[in-house]
Amino acid sequence: MAKADGEIVIKKYANRRLYNTGTSTYVTLEDLAKMVKKGEDFVVQDAKSGDDITHSVLTQIIFEQESKTGNTLLPISFLRQLISYYGDQMQMVVPSFLEHSMKAFTEQQTQMREQMTKAFGDHPLSKNLQMPIQLMEEQVKRNTEMFQQAMQMFSPFLGGQQPAKETKKAEAKDIDELKEQLRTLQNKLDNL
């Protein structure tokens, strides 16, 4: 079976080799990364059990990309915050929020590229460079505002303000204490 619902099936064997059933060839994680960049859909299955292991393989690709180049897309603060959501009640909301945010970000990047193409045309050096730079700055500002608003939804106790460095630790401690109190109350409710 080479394809399932338009997706290419990649089989992962016990020896950790990956086999592309669409092309009948062995592939590497780097090959899968290239497929993702091209927009090709695939699903990775454990060759023995048939279980879908796409999530873990994509996570492994991210790990390799992060360690290979030294240019990370996932800042440490983001990773810490993401880890803190595991086991939290917000865990159910985070995946859809991240998916929606990335989709919006991608759409905005596409619009920005189209605007840059219109502004530059065929002769980029003969055009005014100020307009594309302003468009890019506006796009970055909109993206930043969108992410700040979204993070306010997850951190309502900050009131939308960035605390000073001195008070940041104290407020984080207060938030942690509130989270612990909420967990304790939730446990009590669960036991009733």
Side-chain angles (χ1 to χ4, degrees):
M1 173 167 115
K3 292 190 180 201
D5 299 327
E7 292 182 331
I8 299 167
V9 176
I10 308 294
K11 300 273 185 177
K12 184 172 184 181
Y13 292 93
N15 63 2
R16 298 175 48 168
R17 291 196 70 186
L18 299 161
Y19 184 76
N20 183 333
T21 60
T23 60
S24 300
T25 57
Y26 285 99
V27 294
T28 64
L29 289 176
E30 184 67 31
D31 294 328
L32 294 182
K34 290 176 184 175
M35 290 172 67
V36 168
K37 290 176 182 180
K38 290 179 188 175
E40 296 178 26
D41 289 329
F42 60 85
V43 62
V44 183
Q45 296 176 346
D46 183 274
K48 187 174 183 178
S49 68
D51 292 341
D52 185 345
I53 56 171
T54 308
H55 186 274
S56 64
V57 171
L58 291 175
T59 305
Q60 188 177 0
I61 291 170
I62 291 170
F63 174 75
E64 285 197 2
Q65 293 292 317
E66 288 277 308
S67 62
K68 184 190 300 183
T69 63
N71 297 328
T72 61
L73 290 178
L74 304 172
I76 290 174
S77 60
F78 174 80
L79 292 172
R80 289 176 197 242
Q81 192 168 19
L82 189 61
I83 290 168
S84 73
Y85 287 123
Y86 282 96
D88 191 283
Q89 290 179 351
M90 296 303 290
Q91 181 176 345
M92 296 184 317
V93 177
V94 173
S96 60
F97 167 75
L98 291 175
E99 187 174 358
H100 176 72
S101 297
M102 286 304 293
K103 182 179 178 185
F105 182 76
T106 301
E107 289 171 357
Q108 290 174 353
Q109 294 304 311
T110 302
Q111 291 172 357
M112 188 173 74
R113 284 187 184 108
E114 290 171 0
Q115 291 171 350
M116 295 281 285
T117 301
K118 287 178 185 176
F120 281 134
D122 292 332
H123 307 286
L125 297 177
S126 65
K127 298 287 181 180
N128 180 2
L129 295 178
Q130 194 61 31
M131 179 67 170
I133 291 171
Q134 287 174 344
L135 291 172
M136 191 178 319
E137 288 173 351
E138 290 172 15
Q139 191 67 46
V140 168
K141 184 179 176 182
R142 282 194 301 267
N143 288 345
T144 304
E145 288 171 357
M146 179 184 75
F147 283 113
Q148 285 175 342
Q149 290 170 354
M151 293 316 295
Q152 287 174 9
M153 180 178 75
F154 289 111
S155 301
F157 301 110
L158 295 177
Q161 300 175 359
Q162 285 290 350
K165 193 172 187 177
E166 302 83 28
T167 60
K168 198 173 210 175
K169 288 182 181 179
E171 289 184 8
K173 183 180 176 186
D174 290 343
I175 290 172
D176 289 340
E177 288 174 7
L178 286 171
K179 283 182 181 180
E180 185 59 36
Q181 290 173 1
L182 285 172
R183 283 188 195 103
T184 303
L185 287 171
Q186 184 65 44
N187 289 337
K188 287 180 181 178
L189 286 173
D190 290 343
N191 290 334
L192 293 177

